[in-house]
Amino acid sequence: MFKNLKIGVRLGIGFGIVLLLLIIISGVSIERLGKLNDNTINIVDDRMPKIEMSMEIIENTLIMARAIRSMILSHDKAFEKAQLEVAMNARKRNVELLDKIKPMVNSEKGKVLFEKLITVRTKYSAAVDTILPLANSASPQFNAEKATAFLFGEYSVVANSYLEATKEFANLQKSTAGEVGKRSIEEASSARMLVITLSIAAMVIAIAFAWWVTLSITRPINIAVEAANRLAEGDLTVKLESDSKDEV
């Protein structure tokens, strides 16, 4: 069948096969790079921001605790006012952070831990509402003794629970990010081996096909040249037979 193909068709088939192999290699590379890109986006745009915001919530919670303690211990009205402002700003910032995190939680486990965090935060927020008037000397409810007792009692319990819930949520994000990173490394290694394998296979096939096409063209031409040389030398017994329908 191939002997009856025109030379141009054979060359076209050869180039077509090489082009097809290049397309396959390119497609596989693009598909694998797409997965790596998705994993990178997942880590950079999803996991890391949630980890950073969770860590900031923890830091703000500790800032609030220090500010409240300073208010209780201080007898300077101006200093107390400044510490109250610090505590309120940290509290407001935590509300903003939680609002940002909420729509970013997609996994079922993440949603469970986030709901746990919100539940604990409700108790913590109530404890803050209780202790601030007790610690603020400008408030009618000011009572340093009760504030101190509440600080080292119920407030510490709910604050620690809040911190632990936040850490648990952050640790899930770290763990997931680590898994995604590990998967990216494995996929990169797999993609590298697959591309190398396909490239080698493509080169072998291309070389084999090029050899076949070249041989299918040069062999009958060489036979014809040899016959022409014999005729030129006066050998009229030369006989050429062709079993193909190509140009040669």
Side-chain angles (χ1 to χ4, degrees):
M1 183 179 98
F2 290 107
K3 291 181 179 180
N4 298 325
L5 294 176
K6 300 294 184 180
I7 293 176
V9 175
R10 293 183 204 175
L11 292 174
I13 291 174
F15 284 117
I17 289 177
V18 173
L19 181 60
L20 177 62
L21 293 171
L22 288 174
I23 291 173
I24 292 173
I25 293 173
S26 298
V28 170
S29 301
I30 291 171
E31 186 265 340
R32 294 305 175 95
L33 286 174
K35 287 185 178 180
L36 291 176
N37 184 61
D38 291 341
N39 289 339
T40 302
I41 291 174
N42 182 282
I43 294 174
V44 175
D45 294 343
D46 184 76
R47 304 300 172 181
M48 290 306 299
K50 284 188 282 190
I51 293 172
E52 291 173 358
M53 287 188 284
S54 297
M55 292 298 100
E56 187 177 348
I57 289 173
I58 292 173
E59 182 180 355
N60 289 336
T61 304
L62 295 175
I63 288 173
M64 289 177 65
R66 289 195 296 268
I68 293 170
R69 182 190 61 189
S70 297
M71 287 173 62
I72 296 172
L73 296 175
S74 174
H75 298 290
D76 185 331
K77 300 293 184 181
F79 180 74
E80 282 184 44
K81 184 178 180 180
Q83 291 304 302
L84 178 61
E85 186 176 351
V86 168
M88 296 306 294
N89 287 337
R91 188 181 193 184
K92 180 182 177 183
R93 177 58 180 165
N94 276 358
V95 173
E96 294 172 354
L97 291 170
L98 289 170
D99 288 341
K100 287 182 179 180
I101 292 174
K102 185 176 181 179
M104 297 175 66
V105 182
N106 301 313
S107 69
E108 289 303 318
K109 189 172 182 180
K111 290 178 180 179
V112 170
L113 292 181
F114 187 76
E115 285 302 318
K116 177 183 176 181
L117 170 59
I118 295 300
T119 300
V120 175
R121 182 187 174 278
T122 301
K123 296 179 181 179
Y124 168 74
S125 183
V128 172
D129 289 336
T130 300
I131 198 171
L132 283 177
L134 295 175
N136 183 9
S137 62
S139 169
Q141 302 176 42
F142 171 69
N143 189 314
E145 186 176 341
K146 287 184 179 180
T148 302
F150 191 81
L151 176 66
F152 292 104
E154 184 177 341
Y155 178 86
S156 293
V157 173
V158 294
N160 287 333
S161 297
Y162 182 41
L163 291 173
E164 287 302 317
T166 307
K167 287 179 182 177
E168 191 175 2
F169 178 78
N171 287 336
L172 173 65
Q173 306 309 315
K174 291 179 182 178
S175 174
T176 307
E179 292 173 1
V180 174
K182 183 179 179 181
R183 188 164 64 247
S184 295
I185 294 173
E186 292 173 351
E187 289 178 354
S189 177
S190 173
R192 179 173 176 272
M193 290 304 301
L194 182 59
V195 170
I196 290 175
T197 301
L198 288 174
S199 298
I200 293 174
M203 285 190 290
V204 170
I205 293 173
I207 291 171
F209 203 85
W211 175 81
W212 173 79
V213 171
T214 302
L215 192 63
S216 70
I217 296 172
T218 59
R219 178 181 289 173
I221 290 178
N222 287 335
I223 293 174
V225 169
E226 182 182 353
N229 288 333
R230 289 173 60 187
L231 284 171
E233 293 172 357
D235 184 357
L236 301 180
T237 63
V238 174
K239 184 178 180 182
L240 286 175
E241 295 182 356
S242 175
D243 57 355
S244 65
K245 296 180 181 180
D246 61 6
E247 294 90 340
V248 178

